[in-house]
Amino acid sequence: MAIKETPSEIIDLLGGTAQAARLSGSAWSTVSDWRHMESIPPFKLVLLAYPLEVTTKGVLGRKQLFPKTWPQIWPELEKK
């Protein structure tokens, strides 16, 4: 599975706009704006990273989304 990590692709992988909104605690209109702006705010992407990792069976996960900062956000991953 080739994943480009675009906001639209991430939202689609999570099950669409409504599901991404539920997972991130955002309004669906806000998530729709992310598609159009081609950007998900980092603090919201943190909330979506684990569900995305589960959905893609680890193909796109927390380490890939946050290559420089994942140890500070999820120190428990250093053991994996």
Side-chain angles (χ1 to χ4, degrees):
M1 174 190 313
I3 296 181
K4 301 172 197 154
E5 302 176 28
T6 66
S8 284
E9 188 168 26
I10 288 170
I11 292 164
D12 289 342
L13 285 168
L14 289 167
T17 302
Q19 182 65 5
R22 277 191 287 280
L23 291 168
S24 67
S26 303
W28 69 266
S29 58
T30 300
V31 175
S32 182
D33 288 345
W34 298 344
R35 284 187 191 269
H36 298 293
M37 294 182 319
E38 298 183 4
S39 177
I40 298 173
F43 67 96
K44 292 296 185 172
L45 192 55
V46 166
L47 298 174
L48 298 173
Y50 179 72
L52 189 60
E53 189 172 298
V54 171
T55 299
T56 64
K57 296 181 174 67
V59 173
L60 181 57
R62 295 170 281 178
K63 290 180 179 181
Q64 292 85 0
L65 291 170
F66 295 91
K68 294 180 181 176
T69 57
W70 68 263
Q72 291 89 357
I73 302 168
W74 301 284
E76 69 277 8
L77 294 181
E78 291 201 80
K79 298 176 186 172
K80 293 182 181 183

